[in-house]
Every structure is written in structure tokens, then in C-alpha cells.
Amino acid sequence: MGWYLNTAAAPAYMDVANSNWLWISAIPVVSMVLVQAGLFLRRSWKNGKKMGLSDEQLKTGLKTGVISAVGPAIAVLAAMLALIAVVGGPVAWMRLSVIGSVAFELPAAELGVSQLGFGFGDEGITERAFATAVWTMTLGGIGWLIVAAVGTPHMEKARQKIVGGREKLLPIVTSGAMLGAFAYFVSGEVTAGAPETGSLAIGGLVMLSLLKIADENDVQWIREWALGTSMAVGLVVGIGVHMVAGGGW
């Protein structure tokens, strides 16, 4: 009963975090994302027609894209559930609709509240600390948008310059950059505790196993569902380890 009462009692700042005004403020941002998606879809359909693609080919491409989006969408949904617990529904909905990366949003929110001496899970987190977390998430994400807007037209030239005209190195450089970025985010979780380490290890093994099965049998849908499945399995394993062994080693 005591455990139930402790988990049921929401922090005071959650009244602000889930207020109607924040829901109303988040609607225009999410609506803009939906409008952009519609515009890109409409433009790609028209360009496909100009390239000589048939309606059947375009519909097949659309279907493949929708299926491919399911796995990452499940991952984002899981991230949203984690984010809702600390910053409320409206901010989680807005931030993950724009960025979609809990690997950034949660640390950014934690960094914000830490400036006022709090950590998520602490009692007495103030509305000011919550506001600082939201500003940290928002301003921190602006850099990505600016870099994408200014740097995207020059990225291919930079990548070509890095490999010095050796085309075979292009996929290696690109893959290395992605692996380095993910390794940076994961490295902090490896030694955080038994649940994190177990979740990471099992999730990684599931991902590798599914990709191997997909490659050996040439099954596209397994590739599309591999990410969401591995994250779900890793999450369940992490919860199980935490229940059995606690949060430490």
C-alpha cells in the first residue's frame, strides 16, 4: 500500500506540466510537423510521376515507407512514455514530434533541473526548475535545426572531400560516423547499473540476431521491425533485472 501511495502521488510541478495551456501551446508545433509531412508526400508523389513511375510503383513505395516507419514509431512511443513521466504529456508530445530522440531530450531535461539543484525523481521540484528543463530541451534542439538548414547543402561535398575521391570509403565513413554517435550515447549506460547493462546487452543481441535472420532469408519485414522489437525486449529485460537485482550492481 505504501508503494502504491508513493508512486501514485505526482510531483507538484506536474500540475503545470499537464495543464491545458501547455496542451494548447503544443498543438501548433505538432500541426506544423504534420503539414510538412503532407507537403513532402505530395511533392514526392509528383516528382515520382515526372520520373516515370507508375501509380502501382508509387503505392508500393508508400506502403513500404509506412511499414518501415512502424518500428521507429514504437521506439519513439516508448521514449515518449519515459519522457511523460518527467516532463508531462504536452512537452513530451511536442518535443518527440519535432526531434524524436529521447537520447537527447531526457539528458537535456535532467541538465535543466540540475541547474537548480534537483534531479528527476526528487521531491519538491519547482515550477521554475521544470521551466528551466523545457527551455534547455528547446534551445538545445535549435542547434540541430540550424545545422541541418545551413549545412545540408554542403554535406555531400564535405563527405567527398573527406574520402579524397575514393568512392568505396563513402559508406565506411558514413557508417563509422553513425556508430561513433550511437556509441557515445550508449557508453554512459554501460556502467550505470545492472538494469541498464542487461537491457543494452540483450537488446543488442536481439537486434543482431534479427538482422542476421533477415539477411540470411532476405525477409524485409524483419529488418523493418528489428529496431522496435530489440528496444521492447531490452526494456522488458531492464525492468526484470531491476525488480530482481535492484538498480545497482
Side-chain angles (χ1 to χ4, degrees):
M1 179 64 71
W3 175 84
Y4 172 78
L5 291 175
N6 287 337
T7 56
Y13 75 92
M14 276 296 182
D15 292 337
V16 175
N18 290 308
S19 65
N20 292 334
W21 285 111
L22 272 184
W23 281 111
I24 294 172
S25 301
I27 288 175
V29 179
V30 178
S31 299
M32 182 61 67
V33 175
L34 296 175
V35 169
Q36 286 180 326
L39 291 175
F40 279 124
L41 178 59
R42 181 182 178 186
R43 183 64 179 271
S44 62
W45 193 277
K46 287 185 176 180
N47 288 345
K49 285 285 191 179
K50 291 180 181 179
M51 294 169 60
L53 297 177
S54 66
D55 287 341
E56 189 63 30
Q57 289 174 314
L58 291 171
K59 290 178 182 179
T60 300
L62 178 61
K63 180 181 178 181
T64 302
V66 170
I67 295 174
S68 300
V70 172
I74 293 176
V76 173
L77 177 61
M80 180 176 287
L81 294 177
L83 201 59
I84 286 174
V86 294
V87 297
V91 174
W93 181 46
M94 177 187 68
R95 294 303 307 161
L96 292 180
S97 296
V98 176
I99 301 298
S101 173
V102 74
F104 167 78
E105 301 297 351
L106 275 177
E110 185 73 34
L111 178 64
V113 296
S114 68
Q115 303 310 302
L116 281 81
F118 295 104
F120 284 120
D122 294 347
E123 295 183 0
I125 295 179
T126 63
E127 288 84 354
R128 183 179 180 184
F130 166 72
T132 304
V134 175
W135 275 109
T136 303
M137 297 160 69
T138 304
L139 295 177
I142 290 177
W144 296 6
L145 302 178
I146 294 175
V147 170
V150 176
T152 299
H154 308 288
M155 288 296 181
E156 185 60 27
K157 292 181 181 179
R159 196 169 66 139
Q160 292 285 351
K161 189 173 182 180
I162 290 173
V163 300
R166 291 171 288 183
E167 297 292 332
K168 292 183 178 180
L169 287 179
L170 282 175
I172 297 175
V173 171
T174 303
S175 300
M178 290 297 296
L179 288 173
F182 282 114
Y184 173 78
F185 287 121
V186 168
S187 60
E189 302 297 327
V190 175
T191 58
E196 290 84 353
T197 303
S199 179
L200 175 64
I202 300 301
L205 289 174
V206 170
M207 183 73 174
L208 291 174
S209 300
L210 291 175
L211 291 179
K212 184 177 180 180
I213 293 172
D215 291 340
E216 290 178 349
N217 299 278
D218 194 22
V219 182
Q220 180 61 27
W221 69 267
I222 295 181
R223 297 189 186 95
E224 294 162 355
W225 286 86
L227 177 61
T229 302
S230 61
M231 292 191 68
V233 172
L235 180 62
V236 171
V237 169
I239 294 173
V241 173
H242 189 276
M243 292 176 64
V244 173
W249 288 97

